[in-house]
Amino acid sequence: MTEIPDSAATFRILSLDGGGAKGFYTLGVLREIEAMAGKRLCDVFPLIFGTSTGSIIATLLALGYSVDTIHSLYRDNVPTIMKARTKGGKTKALRDLAGSVFGDQKFDALKTGIGIVATNWETERPMIFKADPAQAHGRQASFEPGFGCTLADAVEASCSAYPFFEKKRLTNPKGDKLLLIDGGYCANNPTLYAIADGLKVKGQARSALRVVSVGVGQYPQPSRSALGWALGQLVSVQLLQKTLEVNTASMEQLRQILFGDVATVRISDTFERPDLATDMFEHDLDKLSLLRRSGAESFAKREAELRSLLELN
C-alpha cells in the first residue's frame, strides 16, 4: 500500500473488477469492510466504480443496499444466469434480473457517485455511465446522467460478455443507437478510471484520495466433462478469461506507474487450492460460497491497512 499522507480532507473511492460469478469473492471482501465501517458503503465511499459483475455490485451499493442483501440476490440469481446453455438464454436471464432489481430507476436514484464501465462495440472505446456532471471529461453542458439510460440498461451493457452474452442494443433519449459489450474488454479493473474521476470531482488532490480496489481473485482452471462442455466452448471461455486477466493486470501495473503516490489498497489474491478451481461461469453454490469465504480471508490479511486507509477507528 502507498504511504498515506497527512490530510484533513480525504476522498474515498471503491473500485470493483469484473469476473462473472467470481464476484462472490468481491462480496466476501466487501461484507467485512461494511462491518468494519459500521454503515452502508454508500455512506463510506462518495465514488464507486464497477465493471461487469462489479457494476452490479457497485450500483446496488450506490442505491443503499447492504452487502448481505446483494449476496442474497447473487445466490438466488447468478447460478441461473451461468447455467443457461445459450447466449440468448444467458442474456434473457441477465435482463430479467436487471429489470426485476432495478426496474425503471435512473441515475438520480443513486445515493453516491458511480461509474459503470461498458465498451462501445462500434467505436471501440469505453462508455462509462455516470451520475454527476463533475465527473465529465468534457461536454459538461450537455451532460446527461447515465446518458439518459436506466440503471438496468447500463448494468446489462457492462455485463454483456460477448460472445457468451448478446451485445446490448440501446437507444438513448436523443435517438442515438448504441451497441455495447462487457466493460471488461476495456477496463476489467476500473481503478484508473475511478482515480481520474476522483481527481476531477470537486477538484480533489492526489494526496486526498483513498482508493480500495477489489478484484475477484485468481484460481486454478476447472475441469469440464466432454458431455457437458464442448471443446470449442471450453477454449473460448479460457480465452475470454485470459483476456480479462491480462487486462486486469495491465491496468493495475499502469496504476502503480501513474498513480503510485495515491494511497491505495488492492485486494485480489491468487489461490492454488484444487477445491477453488473455478471460472467466471461457475454455478455451483458450494464453490461460490468458498469464493466468498476466500474474500473474507483476503480482507483479514489487509484489515489494518484498510482501517488506516479509510481512517476508521
Side-chain angles (χ1 to χ4, degrees):
M1 186 190 77
T2 308
E3 183 179 352
I4 300 173
D6 293 330
S7 175
T10 60
F11 187 84
R12 299 172 179 142
I13 296 172
L14 179 63
S15 174
L16 307 176
D17 288 12
K22 294 186 291 183
F24 276 81
Y25 173 92
T26 307
L27 292 173
V29 176
L30 295 178
R31 183 174 186 268
E32 300 301 326
I33 295 176
E34 184 180 72
M36 180 173 66
K39 56 181 121 178
R40 299 288 170 89
L41 294 184
C42 65
D43 296 322
V44 176
F45 296 96
L47 183 60
I48 306 176
F49 260 63
T51 297
S52 198
T53 194
S55 78
I56 302 175
I57 299 170
T59 305
L60 291 170
L61 290 176
L63 284 169
Y65 281 63
S66 70
V67 177
D68 278 345
T69 300
I70 300 171
H71 173 249
S72 295
L73 288 168
Y74 262 58
R75 186 186 59 220
D76 294 343
N77 293 280
V78 167
T80 300
I81 296 171
M82 297 310 177
K83 282 194 291 190
R85 297 257 178 185
T86 65
K87 65 181 179 182
K90 282 184 169 62
T91 300
K92 182 180 184 304
L94 174 62
R95 184 173 299 135
D96 289 347
L97 172 61
S100 66
V101 172
F102 299 112
D104 295 326
Q105 292 182 100
K106 291 197 171 184
F107 283 71
D108 58 359
L110 300 174
K111 300 176 185 297
T112 194
I114 194 80
I116 299 174
V117 182
T119 303
N120 189 311
W121 172 264
E122 294 172 318
T123 65
E124 301 174 350
R125 295 173 63 86
M127 182 168 179
I128 305 179
F129 296 82
K130 304 175 182 180
D132 187 346
Q135 294 173 252
H137 297 267
R139 296 188 295 176
Q140 287 194 349
S142 62
F143 179 88
E144 193 169 1
F147 303 103
C149 299
T150 65
L151 294 174
D153 281 338
V155 167
E156 187 186 344
S158 182
C159 295
S160 294
Y162 182 79
F164 296 97
F165 290 78
E166 295 172 353
K167 304 182 190 80
K168 175 65 178 176
R169 297 181 183 275
L170 278 177
T171 302
N172 66 19
K174 296 178 181 178
D176 301 321
K177 296 185 184 298
L178 306 168
L179 191 58
L180 307 177
I181 61 171
D182 196 291
Y185 285 104
C186 61
N188 198 56
N189 169 359
T191 309
L192 272 180
Y193 289 119
I195 291 174
D197 276 16
L199 294 173
K200 290 273 294 184
V201 175
K202 300 177 183 178
Q204 295 298 322
R206 294 164 80 109
S207 61
L209 301 187
R210 303 289 185 270
V211 182
V212 179
S213 174
V214 185
V216 296
Q218 294 188 42
Y219 314 90
Q221 286 290 333
S223 60
R224 304 285 188 180
S225 68
L227 180 63
W229 201 259
L231 178 61
Q233 187 176 28
L234 175 60
V235 171
S236 296
V237 169
Q238 291 174 338
L239 178 60
L240 173 59
Q241 184 144 298
K242 183 61 68 175
T243 298
L244 299 182
E245 288 172 353
V246 170
N247 179 290
T248 297
S250 298
M251 296 295 278
E252 173 59 12
Q253 185 178 44
L254 277 173
R255 180 197 66 78
Q256 293 175 18
I257 293 170
L258 298 175
F259 297 107
D261 60 321
V262 172
T264 302
V265 172
R266 170 73 177 166
I267 304 177
S268 190
D269 288 334
T270 297
F271 300 90
E272 302 295 345
R273 290 162 43 193
D275 59 324
L276 283 171
T278 193
D279 61 29
M280 62 187 296
F281 294 109
E282 184 61 65
H283 50 76
D284 182 330
L285 275 175
D286 289 337
K287 180 69 64 64
L288 296 173
S289 181
L290 270 176
L291 299 191
R292 184 177 183 233
R293 294 200 296 273
S294 298
E297 293 170 6
S298 293
F299 164 86
K301 296 177 185 176
R302 297 167 178 82
E303 182 172 1
E305 290 179 86
L306 285 165
R307 190 178 295 277
S308 175
L309 179 87
L310 300 175
E311 300 177 351
L312 299 172
N313 296 323

Coordinates of all heavy atoms in Angstrom, one line a residue, residues 63-140:
L63 N -27.2 2.4 -4.5 CA -28.6 2.6 -4.2 C -28.9 2.4 -2.7 O -30.0 2.7 -2.2 CB -29.4 1.5 -4.9 CG -29.6 1.8 -6.4 CD1 -30.2 0.6 -7.1 CD2 -30.5 3.0 -6.6
G64 N -27.8 2.0 -1.9 CA -28.0 1.9 -0.5 C -28.2 0.5 0.0 O -28.5 0.2 1.2
Y65 N -28.0 -0.5 -0.8 CA -28.2 -1.9 -0.4 C -27.1 -2.3 0.5 O -25.9 -1.9 0.4 CB -28.2 -2.9 -1.6 CG -29.4 -2.9 -2.5 CD1 -29.9 -1.8 -3.1 CD2 -30.1 -4.1 -2.6 CE1 -31.1 -1.9 -3.9 CE2 -31.3 -4.2 -3.3 CZ -31.8 -3.1 -4.0 OH -32.9 -3.2 -4.7
S66 N -27.4 -3.2 1.4 CA -26.4 -3.8 2.3 C -25.7 -4.9 1.5 O -26.2 -5.5 0.5 CB -26.9 -4.4 3.5 OG -27.7 -5.6 3.2
V67 N -24.4 -5.3 1.9 CA -23.7 -6.3 1.2 C -24.4 -7.7 1.3 O -24.5 -8.5 0.4 CB -22.3 -6.4 1.7 CG1 -21.5 -7.6 1.0 CG2 -21.5 -5.1 1.4
D68 N -25.0 -7.9 2.5 CA -25.7 -9.2 2.7 C -26.9 -9.3 1.8 O -27.2 -10.4 1.3 CB -26.2 -9.3 4.2 CG -25.1 -9.8 5.1 OD1 -24.1 -10.3 4.6 OD2 -25.2 -9.7 6.3
T69 N -27.6 -8.2 1.5 CA -28.7 -8.3 0.6 C -28.3 -8.5 -0.8 O -28.9 -9.3 -1.6 CB -29.5 -6.9 0.7 OG1 -30.0 -6.7 2.0 CG2 -30.7 -6.9 -0.3
I70 N -27.1 -7.9 -1.2 CA -26.6 -8.2 -2.5 C -26.2 -9.6 -2.6 O -26.4 -10.3 -3.7 CB -25.4 -7.2 -2.8 CG1 -25.8 -5.8 -2.7 CG2 -24.8 -7.5 -4.2 CD1 -24.7 -4.8 -2.8
H71 N -25.6 -10.2 -1.6 CA -25.2 -11.6 -1.6 C -26.4 -12.5 -1.8 O -26.4 -13.5 -2.6 CB -24.5 -12.0 -0.3 CG -24.2 -13.4 -0.2 ND1 -24.8 -14.2 0.7 CD2 -23.4 -14.2 -0.9 CE1 -24.4 -15.5 0.5 NE2 -23.5 -15.5 -0.4
S72 N -27.5 -12.2 -1.2 CA -28.7 -13.0 -1.4 C -29.2 -12.9 -2.8 O -29.6 -13.9 -3.4 CB -29.8 -12.4 -0.4 OG -29.5 -12.6 0.9
L73 N -29.1 -11.7 -3.4 CA -29.5 -11.6 -4.8 C -28.6 -12.5 -5.7 O -29.0 -13.1 -6.7 CB -29.5 -10.2 -5.3 CG -30.6 -9.3 -4.7 CD1 -30.3 -7.8 -5.0 CD2 -31.9 -9.6 -5.4
Y74 N -27.3 -12.4 -5.4 CA -26.3 -13.2 -6.2 C -26.6 -14.7 -6.0 O -26.6 -15.5 -7.0 CB -24.9 -12.9 -5.8 CG -24.2 -11.9 -6.7 CD1 -24.8 -10.6 -6.9 CD2 -23.0 -12.2 -7.3 CE1 -24.2 -9.7 -7.7 CE2 -22.4 -11.3 -8.1 CZ -23.0 -10.0 -8.3 OH -22.4 -9.1 -9.2
R75 N -26.8 -15.1 -4.8 CA -27.0 -16.5 -4.5 C -28.3 -17.0 -5.2 O -28.3 -18.2 -5.7 CB -27.2 -16.7 -3.0 CG -27.3 -18.2 -2.5 CD -27.6 -18.2 -1.0 NE -28.8 -17.5 -0.7 CZ -29.0 -16.7 0.3 NH1 -28.0 -16.5 1.2 NH2 -30.2 -16.2 0.5
D76 N -29.3 -16.2 -5.3 CA -30.6 -16.6 -5.9 C -30.6 -16.6 -7.4 O -31.4 -17.2 -8.0 CB -31.7 -15.8 -5.3 CG -32.0 -16.0 -3.9 OD1 -31.5 -17.0 -3.3 OD2 -32.6 -15.1 -3.2
N77 N -29.7 -15.8 -8.0 CA -29.8 -15.5 -9.4 C -28.6 -15.9 -10.3 O -28.7 -16.3 -11.4 CB -30.1 -14.0 -9.7 CG -31.5 -13.6 -9.2 OD1 -32.5 -13.8 -9.8 ND2 -31.5 -13.0 -8.0
V78 N -27.4 -15.7 -9.7 CA -26.2 -16.0 -10.6 C -26.1 -17.4 -11.1 O -25.8 -17.6 -12.3 CB -24.9 -15.6 -9.8 CG1 -23.6 -16.2 -10.5 CG2 -24.8 -14.1 -9.6
P79 N -26.4 -18.4 -10.3 CA -26.4 -19.8 -10.9 C -27.3 -20.0 -12.1 O -27.0 -20.6 -13.1 CB -26.8 -20.7 -9.7 CG -26.4 -19.9 -8.5 CD -26.7 -18.5 -8.9
T80 N -28.5 -19.3 -12.0 CA -29.4 -19.4 -13.1 C -28.9 -18.8 -14.4 O -29.0 -19.4 -15.5 CB -30.8 -18.7 -12.8 OG1 -31.3 -19.3 -11.6 CG2 -31.8 -18.8 -13.9
I81 N -28.2 -17.7 -14.3 CA -27.7 -17.0 -15.4 C -26.5 -17.8 -16.0 O -26.4 -18.1 -17.2 CB -27.1 -15.6 -15.0 CG1 -28.3 -14.7 -14.6 CG2 -26.4 -15.0 -16.2 CD1 -27.8 -13.4 -14.0
M82 N -25.6 -18.3 -15.2 CA -24.5 -19.0 -15.6 C -24.7 -20.4 -16.2 O -24.0 -21.0 -17.0 CB -23.4 -19.1 -14.5 CG -22.9 -17.7 -14.1 SD -22.4 -16.7 -15.5 CE -22.0 -15.1 -14.7
K83 N -25.8 -21.0 -15.7 CA -26.2 -22.4 -16.2 C -26.9 -22.4 -17.5 O -27.0 -23.4 -18.2 CB -27.1 -23.1 -15.2 CG -26.4 -23.6 -14.0 CD -27.2 -24.6 -13.2 CE -28.3 -23.9 -12.5 NZ -29.1 -24.8 -11.5
A84 N -27.4 -21.2 -18.0 CA -28.0 -21.1 -19.3 C -27.1 -21.6 -20.4 O -25.9 -21.2 -20.4 CB -28.5 -19.7 -19.5
R85 N -27.6 -22.4 -21.3 CA -26.7 -23.1 -22.3 C -26.4 -22.2 -23.5 O -25.4 -22.4 -24.1 CB -27.4 -24.3 -22.8 CG -27.6 -25.4 -21.7 CD -26.6 -26.4 -21.9 NE -26.7 -27.5 -20.9 CZ -25.9 -28.5 -20.7 NH1 -24.9 -28.5 -21.5 NH2 -26.0 -29.4 -19.8
T86 N -27.2 -21.2 -23.8 CA -27.0 -20.4 -25.0 C -26.8 -18.9 -24.6 O -27.2 -18.5 -23.5 CB -28.3 -20.5 -25.9 OG1 -29.4 -19.9 -25.2 CG2 -28.6 -21.9 -26.3
K87 N -26.2 -18.2 -25.5 CA -26.1 -16.7 -25.2 C -27.4 -16.0 -25.1 O -27.5 -15.1 -24.3 CB -25.1 -16.1 -26.2 CG -25.7 -16.0 -27.6 CD -24.6 -15.3 -28.5 CE -25.1 -15.2 -30.0 NZ -24.1 -14.6 -30.8
G88 N -28.4 -16.5 -25.8 CA -29.7 -15.9 -25.7 C -30.3 -16.2 -24.3 O -31.0 -15.4 -23.7
G89 N -30.1 -17.4 -23.8 CA -30.6 -17.8 -22.5 C -29.9 -17.0 -21.4 O -30.6 -16.5 -20.5
K90 N -28.6 -16.9 -21.5 CA -27.9 -16.1 -20.5 C -28.3 -14.6 -20.6 O -28.5 -14.0 -19.5 CB -26.4 -16.2 -20.8 CG -25.7 -17.4 -20.3 CD -24.2 -17.4 -20.6 CE -23.4 -18.5 -19.9 NZ -23.8 -19.8 -20.4
T91 N -28.5 -14.1 -21.8 CA -28.9 -12.7 -21.9 C -30.2 -12.4 -21.3 O -30.5 -11.4 -20.6 CB -28.9 -12.3 -23.4 OG1 -27.5 -12.4 -23.9 CG2 -29.3 -10.8 -23.6
K92 N -31.2 -13.3 -21.6 CA -32.5 -13.2 -21.0 C -32.5 -13.2 -19.5 O -33.2 -12.4 -18.8 CB -33.5 -14.2 -21.6 CG -34.9 -14.1 -21.1 CD -35.8 -15.2 -21.6 CE -37.3 -14.9 -21.2 NZ -37.4 -14.8 -19.7
A93 N -31.8 -14.2 -19.0 CA -31.7 -14.3 -17.5 C -31.1 -13.0 -16.9 O -31.6 -12.6 -15.8 CB -30.9 -15.5 -17.1
L94 N -30.0 -12.5 -17.5 CA -29.4 -11.3 -17.0 C -30.4 -10.1 -17.1 O -30.5 -9.3 -16.2 CB -28.1 -11.0 -17.8 CG -27.4 -9.6 -17.5 CD1 -27.0 -9.6 -16.1 CD2 -26.3 -9.4 -18.5
R95 N -31.1 -10.0 -18.2 CA -32.0 -8.9 -18.4 C -33.2 -9.0 -17.4 O -33.6 -8.0 -16.9 CB -32.6 -8.9 -19.9 CG -33.5 -7.7 -20.2 CD -33.8 -7.7 -21.7 NE -32.6 -7.6 -22.5 CZ -32.3 -8.3 -23.6 NH1 -33.2 -9.3 -24.0 NH2 -31.2 -8.1 -24.2
D96 N -33.7 -10.2 -17.2 CA -34.8 -10.4 -16.2 C -34.3 -9.9 -14.8 O -35.1 -9.3 -14.1 CB -35.2 -11.8 -16.2 CG -36.0 -12.2 -17.5 OD1 -36.4 -11.3 -18.3 OD2 -36.2 -13.4 -17.7
L97 N -33.1 -10.3 -14.5 CA -32.6 -9.9 -13.2 C -32.4 -8.4 -13.1 O -32.9 -7.8 -12.1 CB -31.2 -10.6 -12.9 CG -30.5 -10.1 -11.6 CD1 -31.3 -10.4 -10.4 CD2 -29.1 -10.8 -11.6
A98 N -31.8 -7.8 -14.1 CA -31.6 -6.3 -14.0 C -33.0 -5.6 -14.0 O -33.1 -4.7 -13.2 CB -30.9 -5.9 -15.3
G99 N -33.9 -6.1 -14.7 CA -35.3 -5.5 -14.7 C -36.0 -5.6 -13.4 O -36.6 -4.7 -12.9
S100 N -35.9 -6.8 -12.8 CA -36.6 -7.0 -11.5 C -35.9 -6.3 -10.4 O -36.6 -5.8 -9.4 CB -36.6 -8.5 -11.2 OG -35.3 -9.1 -10.9
V101 N -34.6 -6.2 -10.4 CA -33.9 -5.5 -9.3 C -33.9 -4.0 -9.4 O -34.2 -3.2 -8.5 CB -32.4 -6.0 -9.2 CG1 -31.6 -5.1 -8.2 CG2 -32.4 -7.5 -8.8
F102 N -33.7 -3.5 -10.6 CA -33.5 -2.0 -10.8 C -34.8 -1.4 -11.4 O -34.9 -0.1 -11.2 CB -32.4 -1.7 -11.8 CG -31.0 -2.2 -11.3 CD1 -30.4 -3.2 -11.9 CD2 -30.4 -1.7 -10.1 CE1 -29.1 -3.7 -11.4 CE2 -29.2 -2.1 -9.7 CZ -28.6 -3.1 -10.3
G103 N -35.7 -2.1 -12.0 CA -36.9 -1.6 -12.5 C -36.6 -0.5 -13.6 O -35.6 -0.6 -14.4
D104 N -37.3 0.6 -13.5 CA -37.1 1.8 -14.4 C -36.2 2.9 -13.7 O -36.2 4.0 -14.3 CB -38.4 2.3 -14.8 CG -39.2 1.4 -15.7 OD1 -38.6 0.6 -16.4 OD2 -40.5 1.4 -15.6
Q105 N -35.6 2.6 -12.6 CA -34.8 3.6 -11.9 C -33.7 4.2 -12.8 O -33.1 3.4 -13.6 CB -34.2 3.1 -10.7 CG -35.2 2.7 -9.6 CD -34.5 2.2 -8.3 OE1 -34.3 2.9 -7.4 NE2 -34.1 0.9 -8.4
K106 N -33.5 5.5 -12.7 CA -32.4 6.1 -13.4 C -31.3 6.6 -12.4 O -31.4 6.3 -11.2 CB -32.9 7.3 -14.3 CG -33.8 6.8 -15.4 CD -34.0 7.8 -16.5 CE -34.6 7.3 -17.7 NZ -34.7 8.3 -18.8
F107 N -30.4 7.3 -12.9 CA -29.2 7.6 -12.1 C -29.5 8.6 -11.0 O -28.7 8.8 -10.1 CB -28.1 8.1 -13.0 CG -27.4 7.0 -13.8 CD1 -28.0 6.3 -14.8 CD2 -26.1 6.6 -13.4 CE1 -27.4 5.2 -15.4 CE2 -25.5 5.5 -14.1 CZ -26.2 4.8 -15.1
D108 N -30.6 9.3 -11.0 CA -31.0 10.2 -9.9 C -31.4 9.5 -8.7 O -31.5 10.1 -7.6 CB -32.0 11.2 -10.4 CG -33.3 10.5 -10.8 OD1 -33.4 9.2 -10.8 OD2 -34.3 11.2 -11.2
A109 N -31.5 8.1 -8.8 CA -31.9 7.3 -7.6 C -30.7 7.0 -6.7 O -30.9 6.5 -5.6 CB -32.6 6.1 -8.0
L110 N -29.5 7.2 -7.2 CA -28.3 6.8 -6.5 C -28.0 7.7 -5.4 O -28.2 8.9 -5.4 CB -27.1 6.7 -7.5 CG -27.3 5.8 -8.7 CD1 -26.1 5.9 -9.6 CD2 -27.4 4.3 -8.2
K111 N -27.4 7.1 -4.3 CA -27.0 7.9 -3.1 C -25.6 8.3 -3.1 O -25.1 9.0 -2.2 CB -27.3 7.0 -1.9 CG -28.7 6.6 -1.7 CD -28.9 5.6 -0.5 CE -30.3 5.1 -0.5 NZ -31.3 6.1 -0.2
T112 N -24.8 7.9 -4.1 CA -23.4 8.3 -4.1 C -22.9 8.2 -5.6 O -23.6 7.8 -6.5 CB -22.5 7.3 -3.3 OG1 -21.2 7.8 -3.1 CG2 -22.4 5.9 -3.9
G113 N -21.7 8.7 -5.8 CA -21.2 8.8 -7.2 C -20.9 7.4 -7.8 O -20.6 6.5 -7.0
I114 N -21.1 7.3 -9.1 CA -21.0 6.0 -9.7 C -20.2 6.1 -11.0 O -20.1 7.1 -11.7 CB -22.4 5.4 -10.0 CG1 -22.4 3.9 -10.4 CG2 -23.1 6.2 -11.1 CD1 -22.3 3.0 -9.2
G115 N -19.6 4.9 -11.4 CA -19.0 4.8 -12.7 C -19.3 3.3 -13.2 O -18.8 2.4 -12.5
I116 N -20.1 3.1 -14.2 CA -20.4 1.8 -14.7 C -19.8 1.7 -16.1 O -20.1 2.3 -17.0 CB -22.0 1.6 -14.8 CG1 -22.6 1.7 -13.5 CG2 -22.3 0.3 -15.5 CD1 -24.2 1.7 -13.6
V117 N -18.8 0.8 -16.1 CA -17.9 0.7 -17.3 C -18.5 -0.3 -18.3 O -18.6 -1.5 -18.0 CB -16.5 0.3 -16.9 CG1 -15.6 0.3 -18.2 CG2 -15.9 1.3 -15.9
A118 N -18.7 0.1 -19.5 CA -19.1 -0.7 -20.7 C -18.2 -0.4 -21.8 O -17.3 0.5 -21.7 CB -20.6 -0.5 -21.1
T119 N -18.3 -1.2 -22.9 CA -17.5 -1.0 -24.1 C -18.3 -0.7 -25.3 O -19.3 -1.5 -25.6 CB -16.6 -2.2 -24.4 OG1 -15.7 -2.4 -23.2 CG2 -15.6 -1.9 -25.6
N120 N -18.1 0.3 -26.1 CA -18.8 0.6 -27.3 C -18.3 -0.2 -28.4 O -17.1 -0.1 -28.8 CB -18.8 2.1 -27.6 CG -19.7 2.5 -28.8 OD1 -19.7 1.8 -29.8 ND2 -20.5 3.5 -28.6
W121 N -19.1 -1.2 -28.9 CA -18.6 -2.1 -29.9 C -18.2 -1.5 -31.2 O -17.2 -1.8 -31.8 CB -19.7 -3.1 -30.2 CG -19.5 -4.1 -31.3 CD1 -19.9 -4.0 -32.6 CD2 -18.7 -5.3 -31.3 NE1 -19.5 -5.0 -33.4 CE2 -18.8 -5.9 -32.6 CE3 -18.1 -6.0 -30.3 CZ2 -18.1 -7.1 -32.9 CZ3 -17.4 -7.2 -30.6 CH2 -17.5 -7.7 -31.8
E122 N -18.9 -0.4 -31.6 CA -18.7 0.2 -32.9 C -17.5 1.2 -32.9 O -16.8 1.3 -33.8 CB -20.0 0.9 -33.3 CG -21.1 -0.2 -33.6 CD -22.5 0.5 -33.9 OE1 -22.8 1.4 -33.2 OE2 -23.1 0.0 -34.8
T123 N -17.4 2.0 -31.8 CA -16.4 3.0 -31.7 C -15.1 2.4 -31.1 O -14.0 3.0 -31.1 CB -16.8 4.2 -31.0 OG1 -17.0 3.8 -29.6 CG2 -18.0 4.8 -31.5
E124 N -15.2 1.2 -30.5 CA -14.1 0.5 -29.8 C -13.5 1.4 -28.8 O -12.3 1.5 -28.6 CB -13.0 0.1 -30.9 CG -13.6 -0.8 -31.9 CD -12.6 -1.1 -33.1 OE1 -11.5 -0.5 -33.1 OE2 -12.9 -2.0 -33.9
R125 N -14.4 2.1 -28.0 CA -13.9 2.9 -26.9 C -14.8 2.6 -25.7 O -15.9 2.1 -25.8 CB -14.1 4.4 -27.3 CG -13.2 4.9 -28.4 CD -13.6 6.3 -28.9 NE -13.4 7.2 -27.8 CZ -12.2 7.8 -27.6 NH1 -11.1 7.6 -28.3 NH2 -12.1 8.7 -26.6
P126 N -14.2 3.0 -24.5 CA -15.1 2.8 -23.3 C -16.3 3.7 -23.3 O -16.2 4.8 -23.8 CB -14.1 3.1 -22.1 CG -13.0 4.0 -22.8 CD -12.9 3.5 -24.2
M127 N -17.3 3.2 -22.7 CA -18.5 4.1 -22.4 C -18.9 3.9 -21.0 O -19.3 2.8 -20.5 CB -19.7 3.7 -23.3 CG -20.9 4.5 -23.2 SD -22.1 4.2 -24.4 CE -23.4 5.3 -23.9
I128 N -18.7 5.0 -20.2 CA -18.8 4.9 -18.7 C -20.0 5.7 -18.3 O -20.1 6.9 -18.5 CB -17.5 5.4 -18.0 CG1 -16.3 4.6 -18.6 CG2 -17.7 5.2 -16.5 CD1 -15.0 5.0 -18.0
F129 N -21.0 5.0 -17.7 CA -22.2 5.6 -17.3 C -21.9 6.3 -15.9 O -21.5 5.6 -15.0 CB -23.3 4.6 -17.1 CG -23.7 3.9 -18.4 CD1 -23.0 2.9 -19.0 CD2 -24.8 4.4 -19.1 CE1 -23.4 2.3 -20.1 CE2 -25.2 3.8 -20.3 CZ -24.5 2.7 -20.8
K130 N -22.3 7.6 -15.8 CA -22.0 8.3 -14.6 C -23.3 9.2 -14.2 O -24.1 9.4 -15.0 CB -20.8 9.3 -14.8 CG -19.5 8.6 -15.2 CD -18.4 9.5 -15.5 CE -17.2 8.8 -16.1 NZ -16.1 9.7 -16.4
A131 N -23.3 9.6 -13.0 CA -24.4 10.4 -12.5 C -24.1 11.9 -12.3 O -25.1 12.7 -12.3 CB -24.9 9.8 -11.1
D132 N -22.9 12.2 -12.1 CA -22.5 13.6 -11.7 C -21.8 14.3 -12.8 O -20.8 13.8 -13.3 CB -21.6 13.5 -10.5 CG -21.3 14.9 -9.8 OD1 -21.6 15.9 -10.5 OD2 -20.8 14.9 -8.7
P133 N -22.3 15.5 -13.3 CA -21.6 16.2 -14.3 C -20.1 16.6 -13.9 O -19.3 16.8 -14.8 CB -22.4 17.4 -14.6 CG -23.3 17.5 -13.4 CD -23.5 16.2 -12.9
A134 N -19.8 16.6 -12.6 CA -18.5 16.9 -12.2 C -17.5 15.8 -12.7 O -16.3 16.0 -12.7 CB -18.4 17.1 -10.7
Q135 N -18.0 14.6 -13.0 CA -17.2 13.5 -13.5 C -17.0 13.6 -15.0 O -16.2 12.8 -15.5 CB -17.9 12.2 -13.2 CG -18.0 11.8 -11.7 CD -18.8 10.6 -11.5 OE1 -19.9 10.6 -11.0 NE2 -18.2 9.4 -11.8
A136 N -17.6 14.5 -15.7 CA -17.5 14.6 -17.1 C -16.1 15.1 -17.5 O -15.6 16.0 -17.0 CB -18.6 15.5 -17.7
H137 N -15.5 14.4 -18.5 CA -14.2 14.9 -19.1 C -14.6 15.6 -20.4 O -14.4 15.0 -21.5 CB -13.3 13.7 -19.2 CG -13.0 13.0 -17.9 ND1 -11.8 13.3 -17.2 CD2 -13.6 12.0 -17.2 CE1 -11.8 12.6 -16.1 NE2 -12.9 11.8 -16.1
G138 N -15.1 16.8 -20.3 CA -15.5 17.5 -21.5 C -17.0 17.4 -21.6 O -17.7 16.5 -21.0
R139 N -17.6 18.3 -22.4 CA -19.0 18.3 -22.7 C -19.9 18.3 -21.5 O -21.0 17.7 -21.4 CB -19.4 17.2 -23.6 CG -18.7 17.2 -25.0 CD -19.3 16.2 -25.9 NE -19.0 14.8 -25.5 CZ -19.4 13.7 -26.1 NH1 -20.1 13.8 -27.1 NH2 -19.0 12.5 -25.6
Q140 N -19.5 19.1 -20.5 CA -20.3 19.2 -19.2 C -21.7 19.8 -19.5 O -22.7 19.5 -18.8 CB -19.6 19.9 -18.1 CG -18.4 19.2 -17.6 CD -17.9 19.8 -16.3 OE1 -18.2 20.9 -15.9 NE2 -17.0 19.1 -15.6

